[in-house]
Amino acid sequence: MSALLEVEGLTTTFPGRDGPLPIVDGNDLRVERGEVLALVGESGCGKSMTALSLMRLVPKPGKIVAGRVMLGGRNLLELPVKEMRAVRGRRVAMIFQEPMTSLNPVIRVGDQVVEAIRLHESVSRSQARARCLELFGEVGIPDPEARLDAYPHQLSGGLKQRVMIAMALSARPDLLIADEPTTALDVTIQAQIVRLLQDLQRRTGMSILLITHDLGIVNELSDRVAVMYAGRIIEVGTRPEIFRAAAHPYTQGLLRSNPVLATRGERLPEIAGVVPSPESWSEACRFATRCSRRFEPCLGEVPTATFVGDGHWAACHALAGESSEGGEP
Amino acid sequence: MSSSGDDALLRVEGLRTWFPIKQGLLQRTTGHVQAVTDVDFEIAPGSTLALVGESGCGKTTAGRSILGLTPAQAGRVFFEGVDLMRLDAKALRPYRRQIQIIFQDPMASLNPRMRVRDSVAEGMRSFGIGADEADRTLRVAALFEKVQLDPEHIWRYPHEFSGGQRQRICIARALAVEPRLIVCDEAVSALDVSIQAQILNLLGDLQKEFGIAYLFITHDLGVVRYLADRVAVMYLGRIVETGSTEAIFADPRHPYTRALLAAAPSVDPDRRGGAPPLLGDVPSPSDPPPGCPFHPRCPSVLDRCKSEGPPEVSGEGGQVRCFLALPGGEPPAGN
């Protein structure tokens, strides 16, 4: 495998009371060709802002202040606005949690997809319509001909998400960023969308950056997992490594506190305390205040990545103490 | 007053809550949103019943109808043998204290302009609990400790707390009037996993200490398996299966229950991509299909399912509404 996307030192800040807050704080990330990388974390950890930073769609007053986002040999952060616009949609497409807010409520869904197609390809309306019909079929929209003329409100949540996926795929992107694509959907519909994304990924060979808080979806869909906490990626590993042998105390806590894995009648292992707000983020380990393995260095310095397995690292002082060899990711 | 003469804390029989659809100039009723139809269940004192289903299945409406927040058209709701549906407002009052509710969004259920001490004390004042305001303040502080919040924070406003803390405040408010039953309507669904675990532990501790029963309304099967004693599965306004949590998870009998369990994403790295997902969407409750409401999506549908309502078949400690559960019924496909 070779890297499709390589992110280095990506830092995005928002103004705070006492200066800029690094909501995305110097993160490195690699998405290989044809893989599904899950970026996991709880609300406010910066995972969505990371995705928006890659697309250069950070909402104001946020600002990307450092880093490189390499896609096909070019740094997206340095592209002229016009070229970046061509990258969005064509090479990198994005779908969001709430399809209703991403679709225009007063335009028929077919026309919206046709517009998206014609934005990227010089084809006639009727050619674009035929392509749209084909896409609707690919994403499993039943009776696609009739749905072309439907308004968003006439479609169920699952169908709307399928329309969004059709639109995202219209330019055959190399990378699909899926930000909580199933969170707003019911369990049975969620299973349909997970299966669909899996099929489409295999058929097209595209890469997917899956952003979610749901470890079940991560397990079902991803090849590798990056865990984010308080603005920083703190552990990266293959899916089986993360689920079987998570190394960072936060990842371990996240997995253990999931009621699915718990025994009835026994207390759930909690992670004490709450996620710190960006104003109180320390320069040292940000999980230290909640961590059961905390010791001196955790409150003093930023932990560096320690390799614990093949392609599996975690940023934790406790691990650095255990293993003799530290290293850079 | 009628009595059901059993030892259930809450017993619901034939609950029906339909909302009229009014159309045209004269606002004639042209149909009904059949939110809850002929729902039966019971909850033993100090136990937890999970009412499970996907959005629009009627689980929230059922919970609200029990409390009288959404009036039901038919059915009986026995609380300790007393039929609440037949009581007038005055006679109902003491029972309103016995049954409390916690909602999904704690921010929306706390008055943003009220200090949380006053929100928690409001119910106490209303039911005459506590000698005076000073006494109630002490009680609120004690409740804060019970739900693991800092008692010094009782004079703060809701926005000064995190989401998990706000849910603790809502739990404290429910506890303030010493209820026997708390309806938890998606009470942990909006919380992050690490906070969700804290709240689930708290609810478990409170049940052990005070013997409170929970009606846990949720779509999250992980939470159900961990926390519930019994489960009732709802689909399109009807309960399709009830049973002990062990039985429902080990041996689901209704095809919808099976599909729901199969659809839940696995966190076992060795097991993913389970059974093929259920096709299609949930039909509209204003125009439910004839026969079994699940038949358009059912992988084991029979001819009769399309026209006849399925029978309620009782098994070991549970019921299932499905023709396949009849003796001699074919085993569902895909097994």
Side-chain angles (χ1 to χ4, degrees):
Chain A
M1 280 208 266
S2 63
L4 170 72
L5 180 82
E6 267 193 286
V7 179
E8 275 170 41
L10 182 65
T11 306
T12 300
T13 61
F14 278 75
R17 247 172 301 168
D18 314 312
L21 302 169
I23 300 301
V24 179
D25 194 4
N27 286 319
D28 300 343
L29 200 63
R30 230 176 114 92
V31 183
E32 310 286 346
R33 275 181 202 284
E35 82 163 345
V36 181
L37 175 72
L39 185 57
V40 197
E42 298 182 283
S43 30
C45 73
K47 57 192 190 300
S48 290
M49 213 45 75
T50 301
L52 291 172
S53 301
L54 303 179
M55 295 286 268
R56 277 171 59 184
L57 291 173
V58 175
K60 284 197 164 78
K63 225 173 33 193
I64 302 170
V65 295
R68 298 200 308 161
V69 177
M70 301 301 293
L71 182 83
R74 292 188 301 173
N75 182 357
L76 298 188
L77 301 184
E78 286 172 353
L79 285 188
V81 171
K82 214 175 150 192
E83 282 179 50
M84 186 60 209
R85 204 174 293 153
V87 169
R88 281 187 216 118
R90 203 173 299 177
R91 301 212 52 201
V92 186
M94 195 160 177
I95 55 173
F96 298 92
Q97 172 172 350
E98 189 37 84
M100 195 61 207
T101 54
S102 327
L103 287 167
N104 188 328
V106 296
I107 299 176
R108 297 175 198 275
V109 292
D111 292 342
Q112 297 190 47
V113 179
V114 163
E115 190 190 325
I117 293 169
R118 297 191 67 197
L119 208 59
H120 300 296
E121 284 171 71
S122 48
V123 291
S124 70
R125 273 201 73 79
S126 62
Q127 280 172 311
R129 208 176 149 86
R131 171 94 180 105
C132 175
L133 209 55
E134 196 181 303
L135 282 166
F136 274 22
E138 273 176 45
V139 299
I141 294 176
D143 195 6
E145 192 100 40
R147 308 286 188 200
L148 281 179
D149 295 322
Y151 288 98
H153 75 268
Q154 294 170 314
L155 302 179
S156 66
L159 281 182
K160 278 192 287 249
Q161 195 57 287
R162 286 177 196 266
V163 170
M164 288 309 301
I165 294 171
M167 201 183 296
L169 294 182
S170 64
R172 304 179 188 88
D174 302 321
L175 175 66
L176 176 69
I177 300 178
D179 189 357
E180 303 273 8
T182 64
T183 305
L185 304 173
D186 275 316
V187 191
T188 59
I189 308 302
Q190 175 176 297
Q192 293 174 4
I193 299 292
V194 164
R195 191 61 64 93
L196 173 66
L197 287 171
Q198 219 159 34
D199 288 348
L200 291 169
Q201 192 278 325
R202 281 183 196 144
R203 268 204 318 255
T204 62
M206 67 179 169
S207 306
I208 298 179
L209 176 60
L210 172 73
I211 296 180
T212 184
H213 71 285
D214 187 328
L215 292 167
I217 302 295
V218 171
N219 184 46
E220 292 286 342
L221 209 50
S222 73
D223 300 308
R224 286 193 310 130
V225 184
V227 184
M228 213 170 160
Y229 185 80
R232 290 181 185 149
I233 292 174
I234 50 118
E235 181 162 10
V236 174
T238 63
R239 177 188 61 91
E241 280 266 330
I242 294 288
F243 280 89
R244 268 190 219 116
H248 197 286
Y250 174 65
T251 313
Q252 292 171 348
L254 210 55
L255 285 162
R256 280 193 207 125
S257 59
N258 194 328
V260 174
L261 299 172
T263 312
R264 264 167 56 78
E266 278 175 26
R267 283 179 72 80
L268 288 168
E270 301 175 4
I271 304 176
V274 295
V275 178
S277 67
E279 259 96 9
S280 59
W281 284 356
S282 74
E283 268 318 299
C285 175
R286 290 180 185 152
F287 187 62
T289 50
R290 305 175 73 188
C291 185
S292 55
R293 301 187 64 185
R294 179 183 61 228
F295 66 122
E296 250 341 279
C298 305
L299 300 167
E301 313 152 41
V302 185
T304 51
T306 304
F307 276 90
V308 290
D310 196 17
H312 181 187
W313 61 264
C316 172
H317 287 298
L319 293 170
E322 282 166 15
S323 91
S324 50
E325 43 174 336
E328 289 298 312
Chain B
M1 257 192 269
S2 58
S3 170
S4 67
D6 61 338
D7 50 8
L9 179 69
L10 183 85
R11 211 156 106 97
V12 175
E13 287 178 7
L15 188 72
R16 173 178 294 219
T17 311
W18 287 14
F19 300 100
I21 303 166
K22 294 186 194 274
Q23 275 180 336
L25 198 60
L26 299 173
Q27 291 289 293
R28 282 209 183 91
T29 300
T30 56
H32 286 92
V33 175
Q34 302 175 16
V36 174
T37 305
D38 304 336
V39 158
D40 305 326
F41 60 80
E42 59 180 62
I43 305 175
S47 75
T48 302
L49 173 75
L51 199 54
V52 192
E54 299 180 278
S55 39
C57 75
K59 56 192 192 297
T60 289
T61 306
R64 293 180 59 92
S65 289
I66 291 159
L67 286 124
L69 298 174
T70 300
Q73 271 80 57
R76 308 215 278 176
V77 175
F78 295 102
F79 187 83
E80 294 183 318
V82 178
D83 186 358
L84 303 184
M85 303 275 280
R86 293 176 179 219
L87 300 182
D88 59 24
K90 194 164 168 252
L92 192 59
R93 229 180 111 69
Y95 293 98
R96 288 201 182 272
R97 176 179 162 182
Q98 303 278 346
I99 312 177
Q100 293 293 308
I101 185 165
I102 309 169
F103 299 98
Q104 173 169 0
D105 183 355
M107 196 59 195
S109 44
L110 290 168
N111 186 335
R113 299 204 190 183
M114 225 169 169
R115 294 181 192 277
V116 294
R117 179 265 171 209
D118 295 334
S119 284
V120 175
E122 202 177 18
M124 289 194 230
R125 193 181 316 123
S126 167
F127 288 111
I129 300 170
D132 50 26
E133 287 305 312
D135 181 35
R136 283 192 274 273
T137 300
L138 290 176
R139 283 170 182 258
V140 172
L143 283 165
F144 260 51
E145 275 190 65
K146 193 100 310 191
V147 299
Q148 293 143 30
L149 286 172
D150 187 341
E152 286 182 16
H153 294 169
I154 62 171
W155 299 105
R156 293 188 174 185
Y157 288 95
H159 74 265
E160 296 176 82
F161 296 90
S162 71
Q165 289 172 327
R166 282 196 283 264
Q167 198 57 291
R168 290 176 194 269
I169 295 168
C170 290
I171 293 170
R173 178 173 60 181
L175 288 178
V177 296
E178 295 156 7
R180 303 282 316 277
L181 173 68
I182 300 181
V183 177
C184 304
D185 188 359
E186 299 280 12
V188 297
S189 307
L191 304 174
D192 276 316
V193 189
S194 71
I195 307 302
Q196 180 180 300
Q198 296 173 1
I199 299 292
L200 289 175
N201 280 338
L202 174 63
L203 290 171
D205 294 345
L206 296 172
Q207 183 165 61
K208 276 192 206 109
E209 187 173 346
F210 301 111
I212 300 169
Y214 296 122
L215 174 59
F216 214 89
I217 298 171
T218 184
H219 70 281
D220 188 330
L221 293 163
V223 170
V224 171
R225 194 191 63 89
Y226 170 68
L227 167 123
D229 299 301
R230 293 184 63 77
V231 181
V233 182
M234 273 187 95
Y235 188 78
L236 215 60
R238 290 171 170 82
I239 289 182
V240 297
E241 184 166 6
T242 57
S244 72
T245 305
E246 286 81 2
I248 293 278
F249 279 82
D251 182 26
R253 297 170 69 207
H254 197 283
Y256 177 64
T257 313
R258 287 166 194 255
L260 202 58
L261 291 174
S266 143
V267 287
D268 177 354
D270 297 323
R271 199 181 64 92
R272 62 174 183 174
L278 208 53
L279 300 175
D281 284 302
V282 181
S284 162
S286 57
D287 183 23
C292 171
F294 186 58
H295 88 254
R297 300 176 81 193
C298 184
S300 344
V301 62
L302 307 170
D303 267 346
R304 63 197 304 195
C305 305
K306 296 172 186 166
S307 53
E308 292 170 58
E312 185 177 283
V313 183
S314 292
E316 286 165 52
Q319 284 90 34
V320 55
R321 272 178 202 270
C322 182
F323 286 111
L324 297 168
L326 286 171
E330 290 150 73
N335 262 22

